[in-house]
Amino acid sequence: MASNRAVAYKGPNEVEVIDIPYPEFELKDGPGVNPANVGRQVRHGAILRTVTTNICGSDQHMVRGRTTAPVDLVLGHEITGEVIEVGPDVEFIKVGDIVSVPFNIACGRCRNCKAGKTGICLNVNPDRPGSAYGYVDMGGWVGGQAEYVLVPYADWNLLKFPDRDQALEKILDLTMLSDIFPTGFHGAYTAGVGPGSTVYIAGAGPVGLAAAVSAQLLGAACVIVGDLNEDRLAQARSFGCETVDVSKGDPGEQIEQILGVPEVECGVDAVGFEARGHGSDAGHEAPATVLNSLMTVTEAGGALGIPGLYVTGDPGGVDEAAKVGSLSIRLGLGWAKSLSFTTGQCPVMKYNRQLMQAILFDKVKIADAVQATPITLDEAPKGYADFDAGAPKKYVLNPNGYVK
């Protein structure tokens, strides 16, 4: 039996590479595994040798101690891999295929999956609709920041790349298909971005930058990205975005300097529940700031795409309400302006094949936009620390040496 090494959460601001069991076609008990899922047979699954697996801002929420994640939870929901074994019920996926794994775990059989709502599958998480690898309260499916990982419902979940050599050549772009590229695209798409749109994206982390690239791909006339981190804002400018520094105040005035009016047609929240205030409050956490700001700067009749993560349990919340995900949202303002809102996990399968085609036919360079930076599995703890310190990079773990 092969060994298996993985990145695990060890406590607030601490991750470590540990030894874990090699995957089997059965969900075993372990940190974070829902008791109702223990012993679940995965005859429909595939075991992958990990090609790439990325550090995500959503992982950082857990690593900071801002969720109820247990110690030794194996992290990682952004997975690309090579199929090395398939279960007896797998019909179409073959050993040797290079595949992208949507971070949503979906059965393909429930009414939500059949409607394309793969982010809220009804059959993979006993506690609530929706699941993901290596994430707290998501059913306990083992994370993919590891040398090997089990993927259930392989025929349904896996996106096979058409050519192995081409896939490995473009792997730093294709690795973004598991989460941040579809998630950013979902934020822009649900905000109503189209040809000639003006767009404000709150947050210049990897998802915000992916949303900016997506807005450009959708034909936006002007994409404005806001953040507190000048290095990340510079990265947004590197591929043609306008930027606003929200440490200098609410973005409305700066947007007006760019557009001539203080409002945009489309707004995207790529920050989530650890948002900080603007202007003089920039040093303090204020979790409703981004949503309220977006409602202010999005014109009447516009829409907000909200891929930024909000949680139902936050031990580090600024007050008792925030600790259960209850925020002081100016819903009256949103109602008065007839704004539309789209929240929740991105249904990755709705977009990933089309975005793969855009990558393979050189219509987009998502790896350049987010500064994809390969590191080894052993460098993961430093990668987490650097990312948390605001490095304008997307760290891509390379546990088996596929990335040259």
Side-chain angles (χ1 to χ4, degrees):
M1 187 68 69
S3 61
N4 195 15
R5 300 169 70 237
V7 180
Y9 170 69
K10 302 297 286 187
N13 300 309
E14 184 180 358
V15 300
E16 184 179 312
V17 180
I18 65 171
D19 293 316
I20 65 169
Y22 182 84
E24 300 179 40
F25 292 106
E26 179 182 328
L27 192 54
K28 304 288 189 177
D29 195 9
V33 179
N34 190 299
N37 262 349
V38 174
R40 184 170 181 160
Q41 298 300 303
V42 192
R43 295 168 54 89
H44 42 67
I47 295 173
L48 308 186
R49 181 186 294 115
T50 304
V51 174
T52 53
T53 176
N54 314 326
I55 296 175
C56 180
S58 299
D59 297 323
Q60 285 286 22
H61 294 307
M62 289 188 291
V63 171
R64 292 185 188 119
R66 296 299 296 268
T67 71
T68 55
V71 170
D72 284 334
L73 180 76
V74 175
L75 302 167
H77 56 271
E78 299 190 10
I79 308 163
T80 306
E82 179 177 6
V83 178
I84 59 172
E85 190 175 352
V86 295
D89 291 348
V90 176
E91 186 175 0
F92 304 112
I93 290 293
K94 305 298 183 186
V95 170
D97 289 344
I98 304 291
V99 295
S100 179
V101 184
F103 80 89
N104 325 107
I105 302 173
C107 72
R109 305 170 186 187
C110 70
R111 60 189 178 93
N112 283 350
C113 284
K114 289 179 180 180
K117 301 175 183 178
T118 54
I120 44 174
C121 173
L122 299 173
N123 289 331
V124 289
N125 183 357
D127 281 341
R128 66 180 75 170
S131 188
Y133 303 90
Y135 214 85
V136 61
D137 296 332
M138 287 291 187
W141 299 91
V142 178
Q145 287 177 13
E147 293 171 323
Y148 301 92
V149 65
L150 171 69
V151 174
Y153 303 103
D155 282 328
W156 168 252
N157 281 303
L158 297 180
L159 174 67
K160 176 185 172 181
F161 299 137
D163 182 88
R164 178 190 180 91
D165 291 340
Q166 183 188 33
L168 292 177
E169 179 184 345
K170 294 179 176 289
I171 197 62
L172 289 181
D173 292 289
L174 294 171
T175 189
M176 305 305 164
L177 292 172
S178 58
D179 181 356
I180 69 161
F181 196 10
T183 294
F185 191 91
H186 182 62
Y189 180 79
T190 56
V193 178
S197 298
T198 57
V199 188
Y200 175 63
I201 297 167
V207 169
L209 296 175
V213 169
S214 299
Q216 293 173 338
L217 193 61
L218 287 164
C222 182
V223 180
I224 305 170
V225 179
D227 205 292
L228 300 161
N229 183 318
E230 176 51 36
D231 290 337
R232 290 182 170 181
L233 291 175
Q235 183 60 23
R237 290 192 294 271
S238 75
F239 58 93
C241 298
E242 302 285 347
T243 59
V244 301
D245 182 346
V246 296
S247 70
K248 297 178 179 177
D250 194 79
E253 289 185 6
Q254 296 176 70
I255 288 172
E256 186 170 19
Q257 292 172 5
I258 296 167
L259 297 178
V261 292
E263 292 183 321
V264 294
E265 295 163 338
C266 314
V268 179
D269 175 359
V271 178
F273 73 102
E274 288 192 73
R276 295 189 173 274
H278 295 163
S280 60
D281 293 326
H284 306 287
E285 190 168 310
T289 297
V290 168
L291 288 171
N292 287 331
S293 175
L294 280 168
M295 284 190 281
T296 300
V297 303
T298 303
E299 67 180 31
L304 305 185
I306 309 173
L309 175 67
Y310 290 87
V311 294
T312 56
D314 173 14
V318 295
D319 53 36
E320 292 306 309
K323 289 178 181 179
V324 294
S326 188
L327 309 180
S328 298
I329 305 290
R330 292 190 65 194
L331 186 59
L333 175 62
W335 188 94
K337 296 179 75 172
S338 295
L339 299 176
S340 301
F341 300 76
T342 301
T343 65
Q345 286 188 32
C346 163
V348 170
M349 293 173 68
K350 182 175 181 178
Y351 309 107
N352 63 350
R353 182 184 177 277
Q354 299 94 314
L355 295 177
M356 175 188 74
Q357 296 285 76
I359 290 169
L360 295 179
F361 286 97
D362 296 319
K363 300 301 182 186
V364 65
K365 299 287 187 183
I366 184 65
D368 289 345
V370 300
Q371 282 208 90
T373 304
I375 60 176
T376 67
L377 197 67
D378 289 316
E379 292 173 313
K382 185 177 187 304
Y384 269 96
D386 290 349
F387 187 40
D388 193 48
K393 299 178 180 180
K394 177 69 171 177
Y395 288 104
V396 176
L397 303 184
N398 179 28
N400 289 301
Y402 283 87
V403 182
K404 306 302 180 184

